[in-house]
């Protein structure tokens, strides 16, 4: 966030989320289900799995090197069934959709860089595992919510989850799996004051009265998800075209990795551009983004800054990041250089070390493929077990200075 965000009298900031029935998210879940099944059988699997869908068909493609055997059509149909596409009237269902596969092994040139890092080949670092790709990754945390996440994306996810819950538990039985949410928060000098606007696109059965739909979405979805304290003079917009009966792959094509802003910070913080889903943890697009979020959250939890961003960059085949940058947006309680040194002293950003720290060779990924990869306490990179260490070390360094 720019400095003007903290000084402006009024700023409106918007983030969106989608339900698990959105076609892009369907694809993310298939890709991560493939990853999980490979890891369940073979923890050393190398997976870069992409999924695409459109009317009546799902394509699973990519590079996978594993000792696992995966019945791809069975797995895909199971995911589609779990999501809720169980009725041919929806235009897409798990029984009749076609499943195509185009999978090959990982490129040997990529594999050699992952198997033995540049540093290991040069004798400068015994860590064998190198990064599976080049790129930059960002981690972010802010003191706006208990999860240390931006409020707009947190609320957008909450509304999307509640929309799915109301469908699944029968509260609103006419809902279908596809859906999108959008929450606009009004800030005053960088502090959230109220929810300005809530937008919901809810797929539904034909013939549902529009006014009934608007009223029940507001009372059964938005209010329980957000809470009345934030809903002050709030605008509500439901199904802007007036109807949303054609959804899922029947209404729009889907693709793995097309909701990377939904997956991270809702546009509130920067993103390196690499998607997460379908990639094993040797791909630093995923694992280093998780590590950066962990460090950022612990920095904020430790009280070293109220708003914090960490940027990393890697070269394919390299173990150590080639750059590490910190940004406190003027909220730091100690010098940025002090924080940077503390991070370097207390966290190892080599891919092998990240994998070991968070146990990333386990089948834990499908749960991340809906409603965001961050701000969820059940995920290992969301722990704040480094906060006390940061706080004590920063205090000692400040005293020495």
């Amino acid at each position: 966030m720019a400095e003007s965000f903290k000084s402006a009298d009024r700023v409106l900031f918007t983030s969106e989320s989608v339900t698990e029935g959105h076609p892009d998210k369907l694809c993310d879940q298939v890709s991560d289900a493939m990853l999980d099944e490979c890891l369940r059988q073979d923890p050393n699997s190398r997976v870069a799995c992409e999924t695409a869908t459109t009317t009546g068909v799902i394509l699973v493609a990519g590079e996978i090197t594993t000792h696992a055997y995966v019945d791809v059509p069975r797995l895909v149909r199971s995911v589609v069934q779990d999501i809720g596409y169980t009725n041919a009237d929806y235009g897409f269902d798990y029984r009749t959709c076609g499943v195509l596969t185009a999978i090959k092994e990982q490129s040997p040139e990529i594999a050699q860089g992952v198997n033995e890092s540049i540093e290991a080949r040069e004798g400068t670092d015994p860590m064998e595992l190198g990064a599976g790709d080049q790129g930059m990754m960002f981690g972010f945390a802010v003191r706006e919510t208990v999860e240390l996440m931006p409020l707009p994306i947190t609320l957008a996810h909450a509304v999307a989850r509640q929309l799915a819950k109301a469908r699944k538990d029968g509260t609103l039985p006419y809902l279908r799996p596809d859906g999108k949410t959008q929450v606009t928060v009004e800030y005053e000098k960088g502090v959230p004051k109220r929810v300005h606007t809530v937008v919901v696109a809810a797929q539904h059965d034909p013939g549902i009265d529009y006014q009934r739909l608007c009223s029940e979405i507001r009372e059964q979805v938005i209010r329980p998800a957000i809470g009345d304290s934030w809903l002050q003079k709030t605008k509500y917009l439901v199904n802007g075209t007036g109807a949303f009966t054609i959804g899922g792959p029947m209404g729009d094509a889907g693709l793995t990795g097309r909701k990377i802003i939904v997956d991270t910070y809702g546009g509130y913080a920067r993103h390196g551009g690499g998607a997460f889903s379908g990639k094993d943890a040797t791909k630093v697009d995923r694992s280093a983004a998780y590590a950066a979020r962990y460090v950022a959250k612990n920095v904020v939890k430790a009280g070293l800054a109220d708003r914090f961003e960490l940027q990393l960059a890697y070269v394919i085949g390299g173990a150590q990041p080639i750059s590490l940058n910190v940004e406190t947006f003027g909220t730091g309680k100690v010098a940025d250089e002090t924080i940077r040194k503390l991070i370097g002293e207390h966290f190892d950003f080599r891919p092998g070390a990240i994998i070991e720290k968070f146990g990333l060779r386990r089948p834990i990924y499908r749960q991340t493929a809906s409603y965001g990869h961050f701000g969820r306490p059940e995920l290992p990179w969301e722990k704040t077990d480094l906060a006390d260490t940061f706080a004590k070390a920063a205090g000692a360094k400040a005293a020495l200075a």
Side-chain angles (χ1 to χ4, degrees), residues 2-20:
E3 289 296 318
S4 59
F5 177 75
K6 302 201 304 296
S7 61
D9 291 335
R10 184 174 183 263
V11 171
L12 300 180
F13 192 90
T14 303
S15 294
E16 73 163 354
S17 182
V18 297
T19 66
E20 65 260 40

Side-chain angles (χ1 to χ4, degrees), residues 368-379:
T368 68
S370 301
Y371 312 114
H373 293 243
F374 305 129
R376 301 164 62 170
E378 70 272 18
L379 300 175

Side-chain angles (χ1 to χ4, degrees), residues 6-260:
K6 302 201 304 296
S7 61
D9 291 335
R10 184 174 183 263
V11 171
L12 300 180
F13 192 90
T14 303
S15 294
E16 73 163 354
S17 182
V18 297
T19 66
E20 65 260 40
H22 187 281
D24 291 335
K25 276 294 151 199
L26 183 156
C27 292
D28 284 344
Q29 290 168 86
V30 169
S31 293
D32 272 339
M34 284 288 296
L35 171 61
D36 278 354
E37 183 56 27
C38 289
L39 292 175
R40 187 184 67 79
Q41 299 180 46
D42 177 7
N44 292 312
S45 296
R46 300 280 174 79
V47 179
C49 179
E50 310 288 348
T51 304
T53 186
T54 187
T55 304
V57 66
I58 293 177
L59 169 65
V60 181
E63 298 179 334
I64 299 178
T65 299
T66 183
H67 295 297
Y69 169 74
V70 181
D71 185 336
V72 178
R74 181 184 293 272
L75 181 142
V76 169
R77 294 182 194 283
S78 176
V79 172
V80 175
Q81 181 181 18
D82 288 347
I83 290 170
Y85 287 108
T86 57
N87 189 329
D89 290 343
Y90 297 169
F92 192 88
D93 78 283
Y94 77 98
R95 296 181 187 89
T96 62
C97 66
V99 179
L100 307 177
T101 60
I103 297 171
K104 60 182 180 179
E105 291 188 340
Q106 184 177 64
S107 161
E109 295 177 336
I110 296 175
Q112 70 182 6
V114 176
N115 294 340
E116 187 179 25
S117 69
I118 294 170
E119 293 90 338
R121 296 197 299 271
E122 294 177 344
T124 59
D125 190 329
M127 179 66 75
E128 289 188 356
L129 200 64
D133 205 350
Q134 70 176 46
M136 62 280 192
M137 303 83 208
F138 290 90
F140 182 77
V142 63
R143 200 175 296 280
E144 282 186 10
T145 64
V146 295
E147 301 89 354
L148 302 183
M149 285 286 287
L151 183 62
I153 188 64
T154 299
L155 295 182
H157 284 323
V159 176
R161 283 181 180 273
Q162 184 65 22
L163 186 63
K165 180 177 182 295
R167 170 177 62 89
K168 293 175 181 178
D169 67 15
T171 300
L172 302 179
Y174 52 79
L175 292 179
R176 293 182 174 185
D178 200 354
K180 300 180 74 172
T181 66
Q182 189 171 283
V183 175
T184 301
V185 174
E186 181 177 326
Y187 287 81
E188 181 181 312
K189 297 190 183 302
V191 178
K193 293 300 181 180
R194 70 183 182 101
V195 171
H196 178 275
T197 304
V198 180
V199 177
V200 175
Q203 187 189 13
H204 59 86
D205 292 341
I208 300 301
D209 178 75
Y210 180 68
Q211 294 304 320
R212 173 192 172 190
L213 176 72
C214 293
S215 175
E216 293 186 344
I217 291 294
R218 177 172 174 170
E219 297 303 320
Q220 302 297 331
V221 175
I222 297 172
R223 285 191 179 280
I226 294 180
D228 289 339
S229 61
W230 288 112
L231 298 173
Q232 304 296 323
K233 299 181 180 178
T234 300
K235 298 177 183 177
Y236 303 92
L237 301 171
V238 178
N239 287 4
T241 66
F244 183 15
T245 60
I246 303 170
M250 182 70 175
D252 194 5
L255 186 65
T256 296
R258 204 157 56 181
K259 287 292 178 285
I260 57 176

Side-chain angles (χ1 to χ4, degrees), residues 313-337:
Y314 290 81
V315 61
I316 189 168
Q320 295 283 359
I322 59 174
S323 68
L324 185 155
N325 184 54
V326 304
E327 174 61 68
T328 59
F329 306 95
T331 71
K333 313 306 179 186
V334 296
D336 286 6
E337 182 60 19

